[in-house]
Amino acid sequence: MTTTLLRLRQLAGANWRERAVAALGAGLGIAFAGALAAPLVGSHAALLLAASLGASAVIVFAVPSSPLGQPWPVIGGTVVATATGILVAQTLGHGVLAAGVAVGLSILAMSALRCLHPPGGGCALVPVLAGPEIMAKGYMFALTPGGVNAVLLVVAGIAFHRFSGHSYPHRPAPAPAHPRILPEDIDAALDAAHESFDVSREDLAALLEAAERHAIARRKR
């Protein structure tokens, strides 16, 4: 099997070492959050933990540079989406329609508050699918266990990535002094693509500049 076939091509820059580090970090992060959340908020912590925290851990530990996995999206997205699900469940009940509305509204709410976080869709479904015992907690359920679990996971991510060699919270590399590709060029290309990409404009610009430098060096050989 060739080296090319062994590489993980789903994510740019991914390799087996990075995925192994991510797996270790996610396992430790979930264990840390679960161990501390259970005595703090009771057995209900396990429900939201299973519903969304595992998905959040994939982003925080496997793609720590993702704009969708930074501390505010993780914490804010979890709380906002869970609260949205509670609102919908109180208004529309617990059927299929309520489930769809909860996920759709949570996307709008997270986008408006700049905390879009994919596992938030799962958080929005929890109140709709939950029983009366959880619904009795009302909006506090969004904070405990929702917010508590998210904060603990972010703390675990910050601590772990100090040793993993990754930047978390992610800070894009400084831009070149005289970049050939300007921010408005990036914006124009993104507008023309009509797509959303899970990378910040600053990281994209830095990658393009680095790729251009490598191309120039290759042609000089």
Side-chain angles (χ1 to χ4, degrees):
M1 186 176 291
T2 65
T3 303
T4 301
L5 291 176
L6 287 172
R7 291 176 181 169
L8 298 178
R9 290 300 188 183
Q10 185 179 3
L11 293 173
N15 56 55
W16 283 110
R17 178 190 176 279
E18 294 296 325
R19 295 292 75 89
V21 169
L24 175 62
L28 293 174
I30 290 293
F32 171 78
L36 291 186
L40 286 174
V41 300
S43 59
H44 295 316
L47 180 59
L48 197 57
L49 184 72
S52 67
L53 207 65
S56 296
V58 173
I59 302 175
V60 170
F61 291 95
V63 200
S65 64
S66 169
L68 306 179
Q70 300 310 297
W72 170 237
V74 174
I75 298 170
T78 297
V79 173
V80 168
T82 305
T84 302
I86 293 170
L87 174 63
V88 172
Q90 291 175 342
T91 306
L92 298 178
H94 302 275
V96 174
L97 175 62
V101 171
V103 174
L105 285 182
S106 72
I107 293 174
L108 291 177
M110 289 186 290
S111 298
L113 295 173
R114 302 180 66 83
C115 59
L116 185 64
H117 185 56
C123 295
L125 283 176
V126 171
V128 176
L129 303 177
E133 184 180 359
I134 288 177
M135 287 301 298
K137 295 189 67 174
Y139 289 98
M140 281 302 298
F141 184 73
L143 298 177
T144 56
V148 171
N149 281 339
V151 168
L152 290 173
L153 185 70
V154 166
V155 169
I158 292 172
F160 181 81
H161 284 306
R162 288 188 180 275
F163 298 95
S164 74
H166 295 114
S167 168
Y168 187 82
H170 180 63
R171 297 175 180 83
H178 301 287
R180 296 180 178 84
I181 301 175
L182 300 176
E184 49 264 37
D185 299 324
I186 301 292
D187 289 338
L190 290 172
D191 289 340
H194 301 294
E195 297 283 353
S196 296
F197 299 94
D198 190 12
V199 61
S200 69
R201 184 182 70 175
E202 293 79 10
D203 281 335
L204 184 57
L207 286 169
L208 290 173
E209 287 287 339
E212 185 176 14
R213 290 195 299 272
H214 284 294
I216 293 173
R218 175 175 48 80
R219 287 194 292 267
K220 288 181 178 179
R221 292 172 187 168

